[in-house]
Amino acid sequence: MTALSSFASLAILSCVIVIGSIVCGAEARARAFFVFGDSLVDSGNNNYLATTARADAPPYGIDYSPTHRPTGRFSNGYNIPDLISQKIGAESTLPYLSPELRGNKLLVGANFASAGIGILNDTGLQFVNVIRMYRQLEYFKEYQNRVSAIIGSSQTKSLVNQALVLITVGGNDFVNNYFLVPNSARSRQYPLPQYVNYLISEYQKLLQKLYDLGARRVLVTGTGPLGCVPSELAQRGTNGQCAAELQRAAALFNPQLEQMLLQLNRKLGKDVFIAANTGKTHNDFVSNPQQFGFVTAKVACCGQGPYNGLGLCTPLSNLCPNRGQYAFWDAFHPSEKANRLIVEEIMSGSKAYMNPMNLSTILALDAITT
């Protein structure tokens, strides 16, 4: 057990001794939770937009409890934000565009994520009407104005400062921009290493803006194994091998992202940004699926063509009977079981997975200091 993990356990135990309950401090209050990013964390915003980047038809949601119906999540069931909400003792955050997000529901937080977007505004242009990152941040500011009208500006500031934030973005800047078509505009503009540098510099600006808007605990995930998703195996892979250039992109992006986050923390003088190396977790079960109870990490549960990696998951697609045996739900997105494994590492992973600390440690620290 790492020192940080040990401290987390002791801190949580001290709460048990003092107040006789496992749930304490920040956990007891079910702190607000805000989500930004792309389809990996979109909980249904795109259902309210005129775009092809939607997951509003069966069999999406086939395992989503209790309805077993599509919700707009790009999953057979729960996505990563749902599972984090469960871990912090909160209900799932609603999509910001949902008409149900009003009154006290606003105090739970909000999900601003939108499938198809990237760090750059020109990423995912083919999806037309999606909520790009600058707009997600504008909505966050609008959200705070709405909440201020309910509980006042001072309490709104506290709610936002004490909230947990998750941001997942960057994969589409490769898949749906740089590598989308041969000789794409961005690939003509930048060799891959320079493109990654540019992405990191633009991402830093977004994160600084998020901090300026009040975020103080931000989980920032890296990209997954971009070249190993069923879509890329079907289109670019050779003999079942991951697509080399996309794997190279992820290998360049993730370490630079982590270093940028640590530098931002040093500049701010506190651990605001947490590097969640979800790509490492995903790589673990891509390289050894059986160890995690998967039959395959190459073939998607839902889809068609080689590896079920071509086109969208639709009612006419091939559909596996046991979703828990597949690391990938569709051509791009993890299954609920894979999402659960990712969230377990977010909660309790070592520094190799969560730098500088995991979410259990954050919850323990914040329970003491708030």
Side-chain angles (χ1 to χ4, degrees):
M1 183 179 282
T2 66
L4 279 172
S5 298
S6 301
F7 175 76
S9 301
L10 287 170
I12 292 170
L13 183 60
S14 70
C15 293
V16 173
I17 293 168
V18 172
I19 62 174
S21 171
I22 269 178
V23 181
C24 59
E27 289 177 281
R29 282 201 315 278
R31 68 202 293 175
F33 183 32
F34 301 106
V35 181
F36 301 86
D38 58 27
S39 59
L40 290 167
V41 291
D42 183 355
S43 291
N45 277 310
N46 281 20
N47 283 4
Y48 303 96
L49 301 172
T51 177
T52 55
R54 293 166 71 141
D56 59 345
Y60 284 99
I62 189 170
D63 299 309
Y64 182 81
S65 180
T67 61
H68 300 277
R69 294 172 61 85
T71 61
R73 292 163 173 81
F74 286 76
S75 173
N76 58 300
Y78 292 128
N79 63 11
I80 288 170
D82 292 319
L83 298 167
I84 291 176
S85 290
Q86 291 171 17
K87 293 290 188 182
I88 64 173
E91 59 188 276
S92 291
T93 53
L94 288 169
Y96 187 66
L97 299 185
S98 169
E100 295 177 34
L101 187 66
R102 59 184 187 274
N104 285 341
K105 288 281 188 185
L106 285 161
L107 307 185
V108 174
N111 186 317
F112 302 92
S114 178
I117 65 98
I119 295 164
L120 306 180
N121 289 334
D122 58 288
T123 290
L125 286 176
Q126 69 272 31
F127 301 124
V128 189
N129 192 18
V130 288
I131 313 169
R132 306 197 184 282
M133 275 308 308
Y134 77 91
R135 186 65 175 135
Q136 291 185 30
L137 295 176
E138 287 175 355
Y139 277 148
F140 187 35
K141 190 171 184 180
E142 179 183 281
Y143 162 90
Q144 293 182 45
N145 292 335
R146 290 174 65 187
V147 173
S148 293
I150 300 170
I151 62 174
S153 58
S154 176
Q155 284 204 54
T156 299
K157 185 175 186 294
S158 295
L159 180 144
V160 171
N161 288 166
Q162 293 169 18
L164 182 67
V165 178
L166 171 68
I167 182 167
T168 295
V169 69
N172 282 327
D173 292 289
F174 298 105
V175 174
N176 282 307
N177 191 331
Y178 194 88
F179 292 105
L180 180 62
V181 292
N183 299 311
S184 67
R186 287 295 189 185
S187 68
R188 292 196 307 271
Q189 184 181 11
Y190 294 107
L192 184 59
Q194 283 69 43
Y195 181 65
V196 170
N197 293 343
Y198 175 57
L199 286 180
I200 295 295
S201 68
E202 291 301 300
Y203 203 172
Q204 182 169 340
K205 294 173 190 173
L206 292 171
L207 293 174
Q208 181 65 53
K209 178 70 172 172
L210 195 53
Y211 177 83
D212 294 343
L213 288 169
R216 294 295 180 268
R217 284 293 194 197
V218 186
L219 305 175
V220 184
T221 69
T223 71
L226 297 173
C228 301
V229 301
S231 174
E232 300 305 333
L233 289 178
Q235 296 180 71
R236 303 174 197 269
T238 306
N239 299 323
Q241 298 301 303
C242 301
E245 274 298 277
L246 278 155
Q247 287 297 90
R248 180 172 169 244
L252 288 168
F253 181 83
N254 288 330
Q256 289 188 46
L257 174 62
E258 186 168 335
Q259 287 308 306
M260 179 265 281
L261 297 175
L262 297 176
Q263 288 168 13
L264 257 181
N265 287 341
R266 284 195 290 271
K267 174 186 161 190
L268 296 169
K270 50 193 166 185
D271 292 328
V272 173
F273 298 102
I274 312 298
N277 195 346
T278 50
K280 183 172 174 57
T281 310
H282 222 134
N283 274 324
D284 289 347
F285 49 74
V286 163
S287 58
N288 192 355
Q290 286 74 28
Q291 181 183 337
F292 299 91
F294 297 119
V295 170
T296 178
K298 291 180 183 290
V299 180
C301 170
C302 181
Q304 47 279 314
Y307 307 101
N308 279 343
L310 298 180
L312 301 171
C313 171
T314 73
L316 300 178
S317 297
N318 301 320
L319 180 65
C320 69
N322 187 344
R323 273 74 67 184
Q325 294 181 349
Y326 287 72
F328 286 97
W329 158 244
D330 66 10
F332 289 103
H333 304 98
S335 63
E336 181 187 298
K337 180 177 176 180
N339 285 333
R340 287 186 181 277
L341 291 169
I342 290 167
V343 171
E344 285 305 318
E345 288 295 350
I346 288 174
M347 286 301 298
S348 57
S350 68
K351 204 167 183 179
Y353 294 87
M354 295 294 295
N355 193 6
M357 68 188 101
N358 60 39
L359 184 50
S360 293
T361 304
I362 291 170
L363 295 175
L365 283 170
D366 291 353
I368 293 167
T369 57
T370 54

